[in-house]
Amino acid sequence: MMIYVLEFLLLFSGICCGVLSIGRLQDESSEKFAAWAAAAGFAGLLCFFNNSGKSAAVTAAALLAVILVISKFLYHLDWKLLLCCGCSYLSVLLLTDVLSYLILCRYFSVPLVYWLVFLLLCRVPFYFALFASHRFQECISNFSNYYTSIYGTPAVAFCGISILLHMAFAGRPLDTLTIVTIVMLSALFLRIVLAYSHIKYQREKELLDTIEMQKELLEQNYAAVNKAYSQNAKLFHDFHRHLEVIHQMADRYHAPELSQYIDSIISPVQNISSMVWTGSQTVDYIINSRYEKAKNAGIRMEMNIEYPYNTNIKSNDLCTILSNLLDNALEAAAIQSRKTSPDTCSINLTIRRIQNILVIKLENSSPEPKYTSDGELVTVKKENEPMLHGWGMKNIEAAVQKYDGILQTAYADHIFQTTITMCFEGIEMDSPES
């Protein structure tokens, strides 16, 4: 009679905790009484079924079926998710049972009733840890996101452990059971490693997809902002001119308060109108950053730019051409300003398209350059500071030649002029939504 009571308690606790652990997927707590009542009824039936001469593997399968049916009735979850959680839970439970049975009953010949008492005592802290651990809740939540592709692993583990349970209670030799246990645990370990690797791969793939989506959103946002600024660039520029005219009229008609007000608002308008928005991030960054450098150095820089951003000209080639050109111009203008005055030095950049030809023209103040016998520019050093008309120009030539382009230079009246023409092909681009 004692054995029947212990079996009932073990089956009851196993069913009840299995159902409640599945319920934690939905954070269900209002159905506990229903789960306990159903678990008690099915535990009595399984206890009678287990003592009617049926094998332990059949009893384990019946126990799984009971947990799945009750959980489906209470929580209405997907069958694959129920199978995945139920098999995982019972695999851990039954593996503990069979290993403790082999060690205590088969190896040390402990009476069956003491083994049942040992199991009952061991399950109390196990169940407490199962439901009190927040880490367990996180594992269940993460595990449930990938059950459609890995539910086979806990199902295979349950089948293997059920067979081992049947062999243990059928009285197979202990040596045979030891070998089967080692083989089964090794296979189970490999299967779990594969499932974990799959979950890790899925997470990394989701992370990459999220990063790619964020990148696309950032590009779309930049394109939208760029379109808005480019559409208003001419308006800002013209508004700046209109303010200058109004300022002159205010001075003419002796309206000092109006002049002061115009002076207070003209500065931010000048800053906005000086920004370049071409549609190409590379072009925008290089030109605007060099404009700031020229402004800080007291060098006047004027720009007249109409850049066709939907071309096959690569960003790295544009970076090479424009950055080297403007850095050369800034360095040369700075050297010339030390000889004359910063007010007399300037940089003029023009970018235009003529059908499928891109024209880049740069004029900057510069001391007279020197050439080799082959007609190449020679780097001129002044106080250990090189003018960047050396390797920079060679890099520009290499980038220009990729697009069947031509680079020409000229010098007159302290002005160094560089003209670049490149052929390009238009490419289709989705117009950004405004």
Side-chain angles (χ1 to χ4, degrees):
M1 185 64 183
M2 184 64 176
I3 293 179
Y4 295 150
V5 173
L6 292 174
E7 285 184 359
F8 172 80
L9 292 176
L10 288 171
L11 290 172
F12 169 74
S13 62
I15 295 173
C16 189
C17 291
V19 173
L20 295 179
S21 64
I22 294 176
R24 294 195 68 180
L25 292 172
Q26 295 182 328
D27 198 19
E28 294 281 354
S29 58
S30 60
E31 303 289 352
K32 285 184 178 182
F33 179 78
W36 291 340
F42 279 107
L45 292 175
L46 286 177
C47 190
F48 173 78
F49 180 79
N50 188 37
N51 289 277
S52 61
K54 302 298 182 180
S55 69
V58 176
T59 303
L63 183 62
L64 174 63
V66 169
I67 292 176
L68 297 183
V69 170
I70 296 176
S71 300
K72 183 66 176 179
F73 176 76
L74 293 177
Y75 309 122
H76 308 289
L77 298 174
D78 182 69
W79 278 109
K80 288 184 178 180
L81 179 57
L82 291 174
L83 181 64
C84 188
C85 294
C87 288
S88 300
Y89 166 75
L90 284 181
S91 295
V92 176
L93 206 64
L94 296 179
L95 182 60
T96 304
D97 292 350
V98 68
L99 291 179
S100 62
Y101 175 78
L102 290 176
I103 295 172
L104 296 178
C105 297
R106 295 293 303 274
Y107 188 77
F108 290 105
S109 300
V110 174
L112 186 63
V113 65
Y114 294 132
W115 171 66
L116 294 176
V117 173
F118 172 78
L119 287 182
L120 195 60
L121 294 176
C122 288
R123 289 188 182 183
V124 173
F126 172 75
Y127 292 149
F128 178 79
L130 192 67
F131 292 102
S133 173
H134 295 288
R135 178 63 178 171
F136 172 73
Q137 179 66 32
E138 294 177 0
C139 291
I140 287 182
S141 301
N142 294 331
F143 184 70
S144 62
N145 295 328
Y146 308 98
Y147 71 92
T148 54
S149 57
I150 63 169
Y151 71 94
T153 297
V156 171
F158 174 77
C159 292
I161 294 172
S162 298
I163 294 173
L164 180 62
L165 190 68
H166 168 75
M167 295 176 63
F169 282 96
R172 297 295 177 86
L174 192 59
D175 294 341
T176 303
L177 290 174
T178 302
I179 296 174
V180 172
T181 302
I182 293 174
V183 173
M184 187 203 67
L185 291 179
S186 301
L188 181 60
F189 175 77
L190 293 176
R191 184 85 185 191
I192 293 174
V193 170
L194 289 175
Y196 175 78
S197 300
H198 178 76
I199 292 176
K200 187 177 180 180
Y201 168 76
Q202 289 293 110
R203 287 182 175 179
E204 291 178 351
K205 186 175 182 297
E206 292 172 359
L207 179 61
L208 291 176
D209 292 340
T210 303
I211 293 174
E212 185 66 25
M213 185 181 300
Q214 292 176 346
K215 181 181 177 182
E216 291 178 0
L217 290 175
L218 287 175
E219 290 178 352
Q220 292 176 3
N221 290 337
Y222 173 82
V225 172
N226 177 74
K227 181 179 179 181
Y229 274 104
S230 61
Q231 288 176 345
N232 294 315
K234 183 178 179 181
L235 176 63
F236 284 129
H237 186 272
D238 292 344
F239 186 62
H240 167 59
R241 302 304 180 190
H242 295 324
L243 287 177
E244 289 181 344
V245 173
I246 296 174
H247 191 280
Q248 292 176 0
M249 294 176 66
D251 292 339
R252 179 179 177 183
Y253 291 101
H254 305 289
E257 294 181 354
L258 180 58
S259 298
Q260 293 176 359
Y261 178 75
I262 295 175
D263 290 335
S264 65
I265 66 173
I266 199 171
S267 179
V269 174
Q270 287 177 333
N271 292 333
I272 295 175
S273 63
S274 64
M275 298 293 288
V276 175
W277 304 91
T278 65
S280 170
Q281 298 183 43
T282 303
V283 175
D284 293 347
Y285 172 75
I286 292 175
I287 295 178
N288 288 319
S289 62
R290 271 53 176 191
Y291 177 84
E292 287 297 323
K293 289 184 179 180
K295 182 179 179 181
N296 294 334
I299 299 173
R300 186 176 70 258
M301 182 173 176
E302 296 183 0
M303 298 170 289
N304 190 1
I305 298 173
E306 182 186 352
Y307 181 77
Y309 63 91
N310 55 332
T311 71
N312 66 326
I313 302 177
K314 296 181 179 179
S315 296
N316 59 332
D317 293 327
L318 276 175
C319 180
T320 299
I321 294 171
L322 289 176
S323 61
N324 279 293
L325 276 180
L326 292 174
D327 287 343
N328 289 349
L330 286 169
E331 183 69 18
I335 293 177
Q336 181 65 17
S337 67
R338 289 195 288 266
K339 293 183 176 181
T340 56
S341 172
D343 297 335
T344 61
C345 297
S346 64
I347 298 175
N348 297 319
L349 174 64
T350 302
I351 300 178
R352 282 286 181 268
R353 62 173 298 177
I354 303 176
Q355 294 183 352
N356 283 356
I357 297 177
L358 181 68
V359 180
I360 302 175
K361 183 178 180 181
L362 182 65
E363 296 178 333
N364 60 273
S365 302
S366 172
E368 184 175 0
K370 296 181 180 180
Y371 295 87
T372 65
S373 57
D374 298 330
E376 295 184 356
L377 283 169
V378 176
T379 300
V380 178
K381 294 184 179 181
K382 183 69 174 180
E383 298 177 358
N384 297 325
E385 295 181 358
M387 283 181 57
L388 301 181
H389 285 303
W391 288 104
M393 294 299 290
K394 294 180 180 179
N395 293 335
I396 294 173
E397 291 176 358
V400 169
Q401 289 175 0
K402 294 180 181 179
Y403 304 93
D404 298 326
I406 299 174
L407 186 149
Q408 296 176 324
T409 60
Y411 180 81
D413 298 329
H414 303 290
I415 300 296
F416 189 89
Q417 178 179 301
T418 305
T419 305
I420 293 175
T421 56
M422 293 188 297
C423 300
F424 66 86
E425 296 178 2
I427 57 176
E428 295 183 359
M429 297 183 64
D430 296 332
S431 58
E433 295 181 1
S434 57

